Amino acid sequence: MARRILKVSLVTATLAVSACGTTIYLDSSKQIGITSPTDPKKITWSKAIQAVDKLCEQVKNESGTPGLVVSVSVDGLPVYQKGLGYADVENHIPCQSNTVMRIASISKSMTMAVVAKLWQEGGLSLDKPVQEYVSDFPEKFVDGEKAEITLRHLVSHLSGIRHYEKAPALSDISSTTIDRNPQNDTVSDTQRKNKNEFENQEYLLNSYFESVSKSLALFKDDDLFSKPGVKFLYTTHGWTLVSAVVESVVKKSFPSYMKVFFHEMGLRNTYLDENKPLIFNRAKYYVRNEKGRLENAPNVDNSYKWAGGGFLSTSDDLVKFGNAMLYSYQNSNGFLKRDTVQMIWSPVSSTSLAWDRDGQYGMGWGVISSHSNYPFCKSRQFYVSHTGGAIGASSVLLVLPRNDDTPSDKPIRGG
């Protein structure tokens, strides 16, 4: 029976949203001004909340998702938390801001925080060949010449390592609504059927991988699709190699090390996407069949891609993580140094961004640079983001630093 993956959505940002069990912190919100794009005067919070409520309802209705969660914070203060629909349709359990969902590729941004910390402490190099850390990863050759992959290539998707598709021809034309770049509009009907990574058999793996080295075996002997550093090719498998580098440096398993990171960051509801443990408030996952009716999604095991798409979290925890990164970007005593965050939040040449055509990829984050050509024409403000798509879930984390020079006593400026 044909099925279409339906994603229970987790939408978040240090500007973010969620429904069913709304909590709005009006007292703290009144300290922050909101400006309407069409009216320079500040608008009221009640009008802003009404507008966001309407937008959330619109997104939920248009996408047909059974549940949607959104959380927003401004200047470090929670201003909006809402869940719409159900986290568990069968048992009528509503979505709330503490609903635990798959965050998919936002896992890359969390993994990048760990990599950046090790780099700034001198524990690893971004420019050494990965074989210096992972000796059992084979040397690679492109067009008969030795190709050297570095950590810098991996965290910006410039390594040439494949994504879920094993054939370069399919990879070049593949795209999803979240994690890929549309590149070829003149493909056959057969090729178009392969464009959705959610239908890839490797994406639907349901076997537990007991170690990162076992996960590496999925792709380490495959040819590169391009010479490292030359072509942007979004790859979740590349981040499995990143996790192997981390293990080599810290002398601990990557899952164990990430659990320490979650604890240190205060992310109390962020977990590995493991099937066996009981995780309270975990959402269920759904697909639609050929008649458009909901069905339970196929069981998958994401242990083969912890670093690239294997974490669970809540919209509240993602906002907390985003605020920690924003604080580090604007202050000198954060989890990361300010210069470090500026480095990973800088666009890298030869990259692109599937979810925002105006952006490029940085290191573990999508980066949209500020730009304005002419007065009253298209302009954009600097922000960073990452999206994710998994079986039964999609996610967004967006961080928008405040770009004015207005004196402020707030430790975080932006959302």
Side-chain angles (χ1 to χ4, degrees):
M1 177 179 291
R3 293 181 296 185
R4 180 168 63 87
I5 297 299
L6 182 73
K7 296 163 280 185
V8 177
S9 296
L10 173 67
V11 180
T12 183
T14 66
L15 277 154
V17 237
S18 354
C20 274
T22 303
T23 304
I24 300 172
Y25 297 85
L26 288 177
D27 288 343
S28 56
S29 300
K30 288 177 182 177
Q31 302 173 24
I32 309 160
I34 294 182
T35 303
S36 165
T38 57
D39 186 349
K41 297 178 181 178
K42 291 182 179 179
I43 64 175
T44 64
W45 273 102
S46 61
K47 287 185 177 180
I49 290 166
Q50 288 174 13
V52 175
D53 282 344
K54 185 176 180 180
L55 178 60
C56 292
E57 288 282 358
Q58 179 180 328
V59 169
K60 182 182 181 301
N61 293 337
E62 287 181 355
S63 64
T65 183
L68 174 70
V69 183
V70 185
S71 294
V72 183
S73 110
V74 178
D75 292 349
L77 299 172
V79 298
Y80 185 92
Q81 296 167 309
K82 189 165 185 173
L84 298 103
Y86 294 103
D88 182 336
V89 174
E90 292 168 297
N91 297 297
H92 291 180
I93 298 175
C95 281
Q96 300 184 75
S97 61
N98 66 346
T99 298
V100 177
M101 298 186 187
R102 288 173 174 152
I103 64 171
S105 287
I106 296 176
S107 304
K108 296 176 175 70
S109 300
M110 289 190 176
T111 300
M112 189 64 228
V114 167
V115 171
K117 185 77 166 181
L118 292 172
W119 172 80
Q120 75 176 23
E121 292 175 347
L124 55 75
S125 168
L126 294 173
D127 299 306
K128 289 182 178 179
V130 292
Q131 287 82 2
E132 292 196 21
Y133 297 103
V134 187
S135 58
D136 62 343
F137 189 80
E139 290 187 345
K140 296 295 180 181
F141 295 84
V142 176
D143 296 331
E145 296 184 0
K146 184 177 178 180
E148 202 169 80
I149 299 174
T150 67
L151 196 57
R152 189 181 299 276
H153 293 142
L154 290 168
V155 297
S156 296
H157 300 283
L158 292 170
S159 66
I161 292 174
R162 70 174 177 88
H163 194 36
Y164 297 112
E165 305 86 2
K166 295 185 178 182
L170 289 180
S171 175
D172 286 343
I173 61 94
S174 292
S175 65
T176 70
T177 58
I178 293 176
D179 281 343
R180 304 289 296 199
N181 286 318
Q183 294 181 12
N184 191 336
D185 293 327
T186 58
V187 296
S188 68
D189 291 339
T190 300
Q191 289 173 322
R192 289 185 188 280
K193 291 178 182 178
N194 289 287
K195 287 173 66 176
N196 191 342
E197 70 180 25
F198 300 124
E199 297 171 4
N200 191 293
Q201 289 304 305
E202 195 169 80
Y203 198 85
L204 299 171
L205 284 173
N206 193 27
S207 300
Y208 181 73
F209 286 71
E210 60 187 23
S211 67
V212 169
S213 62
K214 293 289 181 63
S215 302
L216 284 176
L218 281 172
F219 64 92
K220 71 177 185 179
D221 293 323
D222 295 337
D223 292 338
L224 298 183
F225 284 5
S226 61
K227 183 179 179 181
V230 173
K231 184 178 181 181
F232 179 79
L233 175 65
Y234 192 94
T235 167
T236 290
H237 284 324
W239 284 81
T240 299
L241 184 51
V242 171
S243 67
V245 172
V246 171
E247 284 192 341
S248 174
V249 171
V250 302
K251 309 303 180 185
K252 294 181 180 179
S253 74
F254 181 76
S256 297
Y257 197 70
M258 289 308 299
K259 288 178 181 179
V260 173
F261 169 77
F262 298 154
H263 179 76
E264 184 177 359
M265 297 293 287
L267 305 178
R268 297 181 179 180
N269 295 300
T270 300
Y271 313 91
L272 300 175
D273 187 3
E274 298 176 287
N275 292 331
K276 286 186 177 181
L278 295 180
I279 297 177
F280 295 102
N281 301 314
R282 182 174 359 198
K284 295 189 70 174
Y285 308 115
Y286 302 96
V287 297
R288 288 194 185 275
N289 62 22
E290 57 195 8
K291 296 182 180 179
R293 297 183 65 86
L294 281 181
E295 292 181 344
N296 288 311
N299 293 324
V300 296
D301 191 308
N302 289 323
S303 56
Y304 71 98
K305 56 175 181 180
W306 294 130
F311 302 154
L312 304 172
S313 193
T314 65
S315 62
D316 286 348
D317 266 14
L318 287 186
V319 164
K320 180 179 286 188
F321 170 65
N323 277 330
M325 294 298 100
L326 181 57
Y327 182 90
S328 296
Y329 179 72
Q330 296 177 331
N331 298 276
S332 59
N333 61 337
F335 175 78
L336 296 174
K337 294 179 180 178
R338 186 174 185 179
D339 289 346
T340 301
V341 183
Q342 289 176 342
M343 175 185 71
I344 66 177
W345 283 3
S346 294
V348 174
S349 61
S350 301
T351 65
S352 57
L353 210 55
W355 59 88
D356 194 323
R357 66 178 61 187
D358 290 325
Q360 291 180 278
Y361 208 84
M363 295 182 174
W365 290 84
V367 182
I368 289 75
S369 301
S370 59
H371 180 76
S372 179
N373 281 332
Y374 306 103
F376 301 103
C377 294
K378 180 181 177 181
S379 63
R380 60 179 183 262
Q381 184 176 338
F382 169 77
Y383 67 90
V384 297
S385 66
H386 215 294
T387 64
I391 298 298
S394 63
S395 55
V396 180
L397 171 62
L398 188 149
V399 182
L400 179 68
R402 202 181 284 274
N403 64 355
D404 57 51
D405 297 323
T406 306
S408 173
D409 57 355
K410 298 180 176 66
I412 297 177
R413 299 174 300 284

